[in-house]
Coordinates of all heavy atoms in Angstrom, one line a residue:
V1315 N -8.0 49.0 -55.8 CA -6.8 49.8 -55.8 C -6.9 50.9 -54.8 O -7.9 51.6 -54.7 CB -6.7 50.4 -57.3 CG1 -5.6 51.4 -57.3 CG2 -6.5 49.3 -58.3
T1316 N -5.8 51.1 -54.1 CA -5.8 52.2 -53.0 C -4.6 53.1 -53.3 O -3.5 52.6 -53.5 CB -5.6 51.6 -51.6 OG1 -6.7 50.6 -51.4 CG2 -5.5 52.6 -50.6
G1317 N -4.8 54.4 -53.4 CA -3.8 55.3 -53.5 C -3.3 55.7 -52.2 O -4.1 55.9 -51.2
A1318 N -2.1 55.9 -51.9 CA -1.5 56.3 -50.6 C -0.4 57.3 -50.8 O 0.3 57.3 -51.8 CB -0.9 55.0 -50.0
S1319 N -0.2 58.1 -49.7 CA 0.9 59.1 -49.7 C 2.2 58.5 -49.3 O 3.2 58.9 -49.6 CB 0.6 60.2 -48.7 OG -0.6 60.9 -49.2
F1320 N 2.1 57.4 -48.5 CA 3.3 56.7 -48.1 C 2.9 55.2 -47.8 O 1.9 54.8 -47.7 CB 3.9 57.3 -46.8 CG 3.0 57.2 -45.6 CD1 3.0 56.2 -44.8 CD2 2.1 58.2 -45.3 CE1 2.3 56.0 -43.6 CE2 1.2 58.2 -44.3 CZ 1.3 57.1 -43.4
V1321 N 4.0 54.4 -47.8 CA 3.9 53.0 -47.5 C 4.9 52.6 -46.4 O 6.1 53.0 -46.5 CB 4.0 52.1 -48.7 CG1 3.9 50.6 -48.3 CG2 3.1 52.5 -49.8
V1322 N 4.5 51.9 -45.4 CA 5.4 51.4 -44.4 C 5.4 49.9 -44.4 O 4.3 49.2 -44.4 CB 4.9 51.9 -43.0 CG1 5.7 51.3 -41.9 CG2 4.9 53.4 -42.8
F1323 N 6.5 49.3 -44.5 CA 6.7 47.8 -44.5 C 7.3 47.5 -43.1 O 8.4 48.0 -42.7 CB 7.6 47.4 -45.6 CG 7.0 47.6 -46.9 CD1 7.5 48.7 -47.8 CD2 6.0 46.8 -47.5 CE1 7.0 48.9 -49.0 CE2 5.5 47.1 -48.7 CZ 6.0 48.1 -49.5
N1324 N 6.5 46.8 -42.4 CA 6.9 46.3 -41.0 C 7.3 44.8 -41.1 O 6.4 44.0 -41.3 CB 5.8 46.6 -40.1 CG 6.1 46.2 -38.6 OD1 6.9 45.3 -38.4 ND2 5.3 46.7 -37.7
G1325 N 8.5 44.5 -40.8 CA 8.9 43.1 -40.9 C 8.9 42.3 -39.6 O 9.6 41.3 -39.5
A1326 N 7.9 42.7 -38.7 CA 7.9 41.9 -37.4 C 6.8 41.0 -37.3 O 6.5 40.5 -36.1 CB 7.9 43.0 -36.3
L1327 N 6.1 40.7 -38.4 CA 4.9 39.8 -38.2 C 5.5 38.4 -38.0 O 6.4 37.9 -38.8 CB 4.1 39.8 -39.5 CG 2.8 39.0 -39.5 CD1 1.8 39.5 -38.5 CD2 2.2 38.9 -40.9
K1328 N 5.0 37.7 -37.0 CA 5.4 36.3 -36.7 C 4.6 35.3 -37.5 O 3.5 35.5 -37.8 CB 5.2 36.0 -35.2 CG 5.8 37.0 -34.2 CD 7.3 36.9 -34.2 CE 8.0 37.8 -33.3 NZ 9.3 38.2 -33.6
T1329 N 5.3 34.2 -38.0 CA 4.7 33.2 -38.7 C 3.6 32.5 -37.9 O 2.6 32.0 -38.4 CB 5.7 32.2 -39.3 OG1 6.5 31.7 -38.2 CG2 6.6 32.8 -40.3
S1330 N 3.8 32.5 -36.6 CA 2.8 31.9 -35.7 C 1.5 32.7 -35.6 O 0.5 32.2 -35.0 CB 3.3 31.6 -34.4 OG 3.7 32.9 -33.7
S1331 N 1.4 33.9 -36.1 CA 0.2 34.8 -36.1 C -1.0 34.2 -36.9 O -2.1 34.6 -36.7 CB 0.5 36.2 -36.5 OG 0.7 36.1 -38.0
G1332 N -0.7 33.2 -37.8 CA -1.7 32.7 -38.7 C -2.0 33.5 -40.0 O -2.9 33.3 -40.7
F1333 N -1.2 34.6 -40.2 CA -1.4 35.5 -41.3 C -0.3 35.4 -42.3 O 0.9 35.2 -41.9 CB -1.5 37.0 -40.9 CG -2.8 37.4 -40.3 CD1 -3.1 37.2 -38.9 CD2 -3.9 37.7 -41.1 CE1 -4.4 37.5 -38.4 CE2 -5.1 38.1 -40.5 CZ -5.3 37.9 -39.2
L1334 N -0.5 35.5 -43.6 CA 0.5 35.6 -44.5 C 1.2 36.9 -44.4 O 2.4 37.1 -44.5 CB 0.0 35.3 -46.0 CG -0.6 34.0 -46.2 CD1 -1.5 34.0 -47.5 CD2 0.5 32.9 -46.3
A1335 N 0.3 38.0 -44.4 CA 0.7 39.3 -44.2 C -0.5 40.1 -43.9 O -1.7 39.7 -44.1 CB 1.4 40.0 -45.5
K1336 N -0.4 41.3 -43.3 CA -1.6 42.2 -43.0 C -1.3 43.6 -43.7 O -0.3 44.1 -43.6 CB -1.7 42.4 -41.6 CG -2.1 41.1 -40.7 CD -2.2 41.6 -39.3 CE -2.6 40.5 -38.4 NZ -2.7 41.1 -36.9
S1337 N -2.4 44.1 -44.3 CA -2.3 45.5 -44.7 C -3.4 46.3 -44.0 O -4.6 45.8 -43.8 CB -2.5 45.5 -46.3 OG -3.8 45.1 -46.6
S1338 N -3.1 47.6 -43.8 CA -4.2 48.4 -43.1 C -3.9 49.9 -43.5 O -2.7 50.2 -43.8 CB -4.1 48.3 -41.6 OG -2.8 48.5 -41.1
I1339 N -4.9 50.7 -43.7 CA -4.8 52.1 -43.9 C -4.3 52.8 -42.6 O -5.0 52.6 -41.6 CB -6.2 52.7 -44.4 CG1 -6.7 51.8 -45.7 CG2 -6.1 54.1 -44.6 CD1 -5.7 52.0 -46.8
V1340 N -3.3 53.6 -42.7 CA -2.9 54.4 -41.5 C -2.9 55.9 -42.0 O -2.0 56.3 -42.9 CB -1.5 54.0 -41.1 CG1 -1.0 54.8 -39.9 CG2 -1.5 52.4 -40.8
E1341 N -3.8 56.7 -41.4 CA -3.9 58.0 -41.9 C -4.1 58.1 -43.4 O -5.0 57.5 -43.9 CB -2.8 58.9 -41.4 CG -2.8 59.0 -39.9 CD -1.7 59.9 -39.3 OE1 -1.1 60.8 -40.1 OE2 -1.5 59.9 -38.1
D1342 N -3.2 58.7 -44.1 CA -3.3 58.7 -45.6 C -2.3 57.8 -46.3 O -1.9 58.0 -47.4 CB -3.3 60.2 -46.1 CG -1.9 60.8 -45.8 OD1 -1.2 60.4 -45.0 OD2 -1.5 61.8 -46.5
G1343 N -1.8 56.8 -45.6 CA -0.8 55.8 -46.1 C -1.3 54.4 -45.9 O -2.4 54.1 -45.5
L1344 N -0.3 53.6 -46.2 CA -0.6 52.1 -46.1 C 0.4 51.5 -45.3 O 1.7 51.7 -45.5 CB -0.6 51.4 -47.5 CG -0.9 50.0 -47.5 CD1 -2.2 49.6 -47.1 CD2 -0.6 49.4 -49.0
M1345 N 0.1 50.7 -44.3 CA 1.1 49.8 -43.5 C 0.9 48.4 -43.9 O -0.2 47.9 -43.8 CB 0.9 50.0 -42.0 CG 2.0 49.2 -41.3 SD 2.0 49.5 -39.5 CE 0.5 48.8 -38.9
V1346 N 2.0 47.7 -44.2 CA 2.0 46.3 -44.6 C 2.9 45.7 -43.5 O 4.1 45.9 -43.5 CB 2.5 46.1 -46.0 CG1 2.4 44.7 -46.4 CG2 1.8 47.0 -47.0
Q1347 N 2.3 44.7 -42.8 CA 3.0 43.9 -41.9 C 3.4 42.6 -42.5 O 2.4 41.8 -43.0 CB 2.2 43.7 -40.6 CG 1.8 44.9 -39.9 CD 0.9 44.7 -38.7 OE1 0.6 43.6 -38.3 NE2 0.5 45.8 -38.0
I1348 N 4.6 42.3 -42.5 CA 5.1 41.1 -43.2 C 6.1 40.3 -42.3 O 6.6 40.8 -41.4 CB 5.8 41.5 -44.6 CG1 6.9 42.4 -44.4 CG2 4.8 42.0 -45.6 CD1 7.7 42.8 -45.7
T1349 N 6.4 39.1 -42.8 CA 7.3 38.3 -42.0 C 8.8 38.7 -42.4 O 9.0 39.4 -43.4 CB 7.1 36.8 -42.3 OG1 7.4 36.6 -43.7 CG2 5.8 36.2 -41.9
Q1350 N 9.7 38.2 -41.5 CA 11.1 38.6 -41.8 C 11.5 38.0 -43.1 O 12.3 38.7 -43.8 CB 11.9 38.1 -40.6 CG 13.2 38.8 -40.4 CD 13.8 38.4 -39.0 OE1 13.5 37.3 -38.5 NE2 14.7 39.2 -38.6
E1351 N 11.1 36.8 -43.4 CA 11.5 36.2 -44.7 C 11.0 37.0 -45.9 O 11.7 37.2 -46.9 CB 10.9 34.8 -44.7 CG 11.6 33.8 -43.8 CD 10.9 33.9 -42.4 OE1 9.9 34.5 -42.2 OE2 11.5 33.5 -41.5
T1352 N 9.7 37.5 -45.8 CA 9.1 38.2 -46.8 C 9.9 39.6 -47.0 O 10.1 40.1 -48.1 CB 7.6 38.5 -46.6 OG1 7.0 37.2 -46.5 CG2 7.0 39.3 -47.8
M1353 N 10.3 40.2 -45.8 CA 11.0 41.4 -45.9 C 12.4 41.3 -46.6 O 12.7 42.1 -47.4 CB 11.3 41.9 -44.4 CG 12.1 43.3 -44.4 SD 11.3 44.6 -45.1 CE 10.3 45.2 -43.7
E1354 N 13.1 40.1 -46.4 CA 14.3 39.9 -47.1 C 14.1 39.8 -48.6 O 14.8 40.4 -49.5 CB 15.0 38.6 -46.6 CG 15.5 38.8 -45.2 CD 16.6 39.8 -45.2 OE1 17.4 39.9 -46.1 OE2 16.6 40.6 -44.1
S1355 N 13.0 39.1 -49.1 CA 12.6 39.0 -50.5 C 12.3 40.2 -51.0 O 12.6 40.7 -52.2 CB 11.5 38.0 -50.6 OG 11.8 36.7 -50.1
L1356 N 11.6 41.1 -50.2 CA 11.2 42.5 -50.8 C 12.4 43.4 -50.9 O 12.6 44.0 -51.9 CB 10.2 43.1 -49.7 CG 9.9 44.6 -50.0 CD1 9.3 44.8 -51.4 CD2 9.0 45.1 -48.9
R1357 N 13.4 43.3 -50.0 CA 14.6 44.1 -50.1 C 15.4 43.7 -51.4 O 15.8 44.5 -52.1 CB 15.5 43.8 -48.9 CG 15.0 44.6 -47.7 CD 15.9 44.4 -46.5 NE 15.5 45.0 -45.3 CZ 15.8 44.7 -44.1 NH1 16.6 43.7 -43.9 NH2 15.3 45.4 -43.1
L1358 N 15.4 42.4 -51.6 CA 16.2 41.9 -52.8 C 15.5 42.4 -54.1 O 16.1 42.8 -55.0 CB 16.2 40.4 -52.8 CG 17.0 39.7 -54.0 CD1 18.4 40.2 -53.9 CD2 16.9 38.2 -53.8
A1359 N 14.1 42.3 -54.1 CA 13.4 42.8 -55.3 C 13.5 44.3 -55.5 O 13.7 44.7 -56.7 CB 11.9 42.5 -55.1
L1360 N 13.6 45.1 -54.5 CA 13.7 46.5 -54.6 C 15.1 46.8 -55.1 O 15.3 47.7 -55.9 CB 13.4 47.2 -53.2 CG 12.1 47.2 -52.8 CD1 12.0 47.8 -51.4 CD2 11.2 48.0 -53.7
R1361 N 16.1 46.1 -54.5 CA 17.6 46.3 -55.0 C 17.7 45.9 -56.5 O 18.4 46.7 -57.3 CB 18.5 45.4 -54.2 CG 19.1 46.1 -53.1 CD 20.2 45.3 -52.4 NE 19.8 45.1 -51.1 CZ 19.7 43.9 -50.4 NH1 20.1 42.8 -51.0 NH2 19.2 43.9 -49.3
D1362 N 16.9 44.9 -57.0 CA 17.1 44.5 -58.4 C 16.0 45.2 -59.3 O 16.0 45.0 -60.5 CB 16.8 43.0 -58.5 CG 18.0 42.2 -57.8 OD1 19.1 42.8 -57.6 OD2 17.8 41.0 -57.5
K1363 N 15.2 46.1 -58.7 CA 14.2 46.8 -59.4 C 13.3 45.9 -60.1 O 12.9 46.0 -61.3 CB 14.8 47.8 -60.4 CG 15.5 49.0 -59.6 CD 16.0 50.1 -60.7 CE 16.6 51.2 -60.0 NZ 17.1 52.2 -60.9
K1364 N 12.7 44.9 -59.3 CA 11.8 43.9 -59.9 C 10.5 44.1 -59.2 O 10.4 44.5 -57.9 CB 12.3 42.5 -59.6 CG 13.6 42.2 -60.4 CD 14.0 40.8 -60.4 CE 15.1 40.5 -61.3 NZ 15.5 39.1 -61.4
D1365 N 9.4 43.7 -59.9 CA 8.0 43.9 -59.4 C 8.0 42.8 -58.2 O 8.6 41.8 -58.3 CB 7.0 43.5 -60.4 CG 6.9 44.7 -61.5 OD1 7.5 45.7 -61.3 OD2 6.2 44.4 -62.5
F1366 N 7.1 43.0 -57.2 CA 6.9 42.2 -56.1 C 5.5 42.2 -55.6 O 4.8 43.2 -55.6 CB 7.9 42.6 -55.0 CG 8.0 41.6 -53.9 CD1 8.9 40.6 -54.0 CD2 7.3 41.8 -52.6 CE1 9.0 39.6 -53.0 CE2 7.5 40.9 -51.6 CZ 8.3 39.8 -51.8
R1367 N 5.0 41.0 -55.3 CA 3.6 40.9 -54.8 C 3.6 40.3 -53.4 O 4.2 39.3 -53.2 CB 2.8 39.9 -55.7 CG 1.4 39.7 -55.1 CD 0.5 38.9 -56.1 NE -0.2 39.8 -56.9 CZ -1.2 39.6 -57.6 NH1 -1.7 38.4 -57.7 NH2 -1.8 40.5 -58.3
I1368 N 2.8 40.9 -52.5 CA 2.7 40.4 -51.1 C 1.3 40.0 -51.0 O 0.3 40.8 -51.2 CB 3.0 41.6 -50.1 CG1 4.5 42.0 -50.2 CG2 2.7 41.1 -48.7 CD1 4.9 43.3 -49.5
T1369 N 1.0 38.8 -50.6 CA -0.2 38.2 -50.4 C -0.6 38.4 -49.0 O 0.1 38.0 -48.1 CB -0.3 36.8 -50.8 OG1 0.2 36.6 -52.1 CG2 -1.7 36.2 -50.7
C1370 N -1.8 39.1 -48.8 CA -2.2 39.4 -47.4 C -3.5 38.5 -47.0 O -4.2 38.2 -47.9 CB -2.6 40.9 -47.2 SG -1.2 42.0 -47.5
G1371 N -3.6 38.2 -45.7 CA -4.8 37.5 -45.3 C -4.4 36.3 -44.5 O -3.2 36.1 -44.2
E1372 N -5.4 35.6 -43.9 CA -5.1 34.5 -43.1 C -4.6 33.3 -43.9 O -5.0 33.2 -45.0 CB -6.3 34.1 -42.3 CG -6.8 35.1 -41.3 CD -8.1 34.7 -40.6 OE1 -8.0 33.5 -40.1 OE2 -8.9 35.5 -40.3
M1373 N -3.7 32.5 -43.4 CA -3.2 31.4 -44.1 C -4.2 30.4 -44.5 O -4.1 29.8 -45.6 CB -2.1 30.6 -43.2 CG -0.9 31.5 -43.0 SD 0.3 30.5 -42.0 CE 1.6 31.7 -41.8
D1374 N -5.3 30.2 -43.7 CA -6.3 29.2 -44.1 C -7.6 29.9 -44.6 O -8.7 29.3 -44.5 CB -6.5 28.4 -42.8 CG -7.1 29.1 -41.6 OD1 -7.1 30.4 -41.8 OD2 -7.4 28.6 -40.7
A1375 N -7.5 31.0 -45.2 CA -8.7 31.8 -45.6 C -9.1 31.3 -47.0 O -10.2 31.9 -47.5 CB -8.4 33.3 -45.6
G1376 N -8.5 30.4 -47.7 CA -9.0 30.0 -49.0 C -8.6 31.0 -50.1 O -7.5 31.4 -50.2
D1377 N -9.7 31.2 -50.9 CA -9.5 32.1 -52.0 C -9.6 33.7 -51.7 O -9.4 34.5 -52.5 CB -10.5 31.8 -53.1 CG -10.2 30.5 -53.7 OD1 -9.0 30.0 -53.7 OD2 -11.1 29.9 -54.4
V1378 N -10.0 33.9 -50.4 CA -10.1 35.3 -50.0 C -8.8 36.0 -49.7 O -8.3 35.8 -48.6 CB -11.2 35.5 -48.8 CG1 -11.4 37.0 -48.5 CG2 -12.5 34.8 -49.2
K1379 N -8.2 36.7 -50.6 CA -6.8 37.3 -50.3 C -6.9 38.7 -50.9 O -7.6 39.1 -51.7 CB -5.8 36.5 -51.1 CG -5.7 35.0 -50.8 CD -4.9 34.8 -49.6 CE -4.6 33.3 -49.3 NZ -5.4 32.7 -48.4
E1380 N -6.0 39.6 -50.2 CA -5.7 40.8 -50.7 C -4.2 40.8 -51.1 O -3.4 40.0 -50.6 CB -5.8 41.8 -49.6 CG -7.3 42.0 -49.1 CD -7.3 43.1 -48.0 OE1 -6.3 43.7 -47.6 OE2 -8.4 43.3 -47.4
Y1381 N -3.9 41.7 -52.1 CA -2.5 41.8 -52.6 C -2.0 43.2 -52.5 O -2.7 44.2 -52.7 CB -2.5 41.2 -54.1 CG -3.0 39.8 -54.3 CD1 -4.3 39.6 -54.7 CD2 -2.2 38.8 -54.0 CE1 -4.8 38.3 -54.8 CE2 -2.6 37.4 -54.1 CZ -3.9 37.3 -54.5 OH -4.4 36.0 -54.7
V1382 N -0.7 43.3 -52.2 CA 0.0 44.6 -52.3 C 1.0 44.3 -53.4 O 1.9 43.5 -53.2 CB 0.7 44.9 -50.9 CG1 1.5 46.2 -51.1 CG2 -0.4 45.1 -49.8
D1383 N 0.8 45.0 -54.5 CA 1.8 44.8 -55.6 C 2.7 46.1 -55.7 O 2.3 47.2 -55.7 CB 1.0 44.8 -56.9 CG 0.3 43.4 -57.1 OD1 0.8 42.5 -56.8 OD2 -0.9 43.5 -57.5
I1384 N 4.0 45.8 -55.8 CA 4.9 46.8 -56.0 C 5.5 46.7 -57.4 O 6.0 45.7 -57.8 CB 6.1 46.7 -55.0 CG1 5.7 46.9 -53.5 CG2 7.3 47.7 -55.3 CD1 5.8 45.7 -52.7
C1385 N 5.2 47.8 -58.3 CA 5.5 47.7 -59.6 C 6.3 48.7 -60.1 O 6.1 49.9 -59.7 CB 4.2 47.7 -60.4 SG 2.9 46.5 -60.0
W1386 N 7.4 48.4 -60.8 CA 8.3 49.4 -61.4 C 7.7 49.8 -62.8 O 7.1 49.0 -63.5 CB 9.6 48.9 -61.6 CG 10.3 48.6 -60.3 CD1 10.2 47.5 -59.6 CD2 11.1 49.5 -59.6 NE1 11.0 47.6 -58.4 CE2 11.5 48.9 -58.4 CE3 11.5 50.8 -59.8 CZ2 12.3 49.5 -57.4 CZ3 12.3 51.4 -58.8 CH2 12.7 50.7 -57.7
V1387 N 7.7 51.1 -63.1 CA 7.1 51.6 -64.4 C 8.2 52.2 -65.2 O 9.2 52.9 -64.7 CB 5.9 52.6 -64.1 CG1 4.8 51.8 -63.4 CG2 6.4 53.8 -63.3
E1388 N 8.0 52.2 -66.5 CA 9.0 52.9 -67.4 C 8.6 54.3 -67.6 O 9.5 55.2 -67.6 CB 8.8 52.2 -68.8 CG 9.4 50.7 -68.8 CD 10.8 50.6 -68.8 OE1 11.5 51.5 -69.4 OE2 11.3 49.6 -68.3
N1389 N 7.4 54.6 -67.7 CA 6.9 56.0 -68.0 C 6.2 56.6 -66.7 O 5.0 56.2 -66.5 CB 6.1 56.0 -69.2 CG 5.7 57.4 -69.7 OD1 5.9 58.4 -69.0 ND2 5.1 57.6 -70.8
E1390 N 6.8 57.5 -66.1 CA 6.2 58.1 -64.9 C 5.0 59.0 -65.2 O 4.3 59.2 -64.2 CB 7.3 58.8 -64.1 CG 8.3 57.9 -63.5 CD 9.4 58.7 -62.7 OE1 9.0 59.8 -62.2 OE2 10.5 58.2 -62.5
E1391 N 4.9 59.4 -66.4 CA 3.7 60.3 -66.7 C 2.4 59.6 -66.6 O 1.4 60.2 -66.5 CB 3.9 60.8 -68.1 CG 5.1 61.8 -68.3 CD 5.3 62.3 -69.7 OE1 4.4 62.1 -70.5 OE2 6.3 62.8 -69.9
K1392 N 2.4 58.3 -66.7 CA 1.1 57.5 -66.6 C 0.8 57.2 -65.1 O -0.3 56.5 -64.9 CB 1.2 56.3 -67.4 CG 1.3 56.5 -68.9 CD 1.4 55.2 -69.7 CE 1.6 55.5 -71.2 NZ 1.7 54.3 -71.9
T1393 N 1.6 57.5 -64.1 CA 1.3 57.2 -62.7 C 0.5 58.3 -62.1 O 0.4 59.4 -62.7 CB 2.6 57.0 -62.0 OG1 3.4 58.1 -62.0 CG2 3.4 55.8 -62.6
N1394 N 0.0 58.1 -61.0 CA -0.8 59.0 -60.2 C 0.1 60.1 -59.8 O 1.0 60.0 -59.1 CB -1.4 58.3 -59.0 CG -2.3 59.2 -58.2 OD1 -2.5 60.3 -58.5 ND2 -2.9 58.7 -57.2
K1395 N -0.3 61.4 -60.2 CA 0.4 62.5 -59.9 C 0.0 63.2 -58.6 O 0.6 64.2 -58.2 CB 0.4 63.6 -61.1 CG 1.1 63.1 -62.3 CD 1.1 64.1 -63.4 CE 1.8 63.6 -64.5 NZ 2.1 64.6 -65.6
G1396 N -1.1 62.7 -58.0 CA -1.6 63.2 -56.8 C -0.7 62.7 -55.6 O -0.8 63.1 -54.5

């Protein structure tokens, strides 16, 4: 679990790169590089206020994967106030 001050979603990752998606720490935030198709799905999920999971890592890496989960919560008091 990583806490971040901001998140940047970059929809310019090419499918030919060999990655499903890439995540990296940038200063005190998180940058997630995703394909154009994933960006469209993410936009739709945000509009509909639905949870969304982005699987990061190489396409042929097997079980070694990282996930970026976008979760909507009912009670904001239980979330990180930092």
Side-chain angles (χ1 to χ4, degrees):
V1315 174
T1316 301
S1319 296
F1320 64 91
V1321 179
V1322 174
F1323 295 102
N1324 178 342
L1327 185 68
K1328 303 290 183 205
T1329 52
S1330 61
S1331 70
F1333 285 90
L1334 298 166
K1336 289 182 179 180
S1337 64
S1338 55
I1339 304 296
V1340 180
E1341 295 184 17
D1342 60 341
L1344 178 69
M1345 180 171 69
V1346 185
Q1347 298 175 4
I1348 56 179
T1349 62
Q1350 206 169 19
E1351 293 81 16
T1352 304
M1353 180 65 87
E1354 288 300 319
S1355 298
L1356 173 59
R1357 286 180 180 160
L1358 183 61
L1360 291 173
R1361 265 187 241 130
D1362 294 342
K1363 294 185 177 180
K1364 294 190 175 185
D1365 294 349
F1366 192 78
R1367 173 174 269 194
I1368 299 170
T1369 305
C1370 300
E1372 294 183 43
M1373 289 183 187
D1374 59 355
D1377 290 339
V1378 181
K1379 301 276 190 263
E1380 293 179 4
Y1381 301 97
V1382 176
D1383 289 316
I1384 297 116
C1385 303
W1386 293 89
V1387 294
E1388 294 283 330
N1389 187 350
E1390 292 184 24
E1391 292 177 15
K1392 294 181 182 177
T1393 60
N1394 183 359
K1395 294 184 180 188

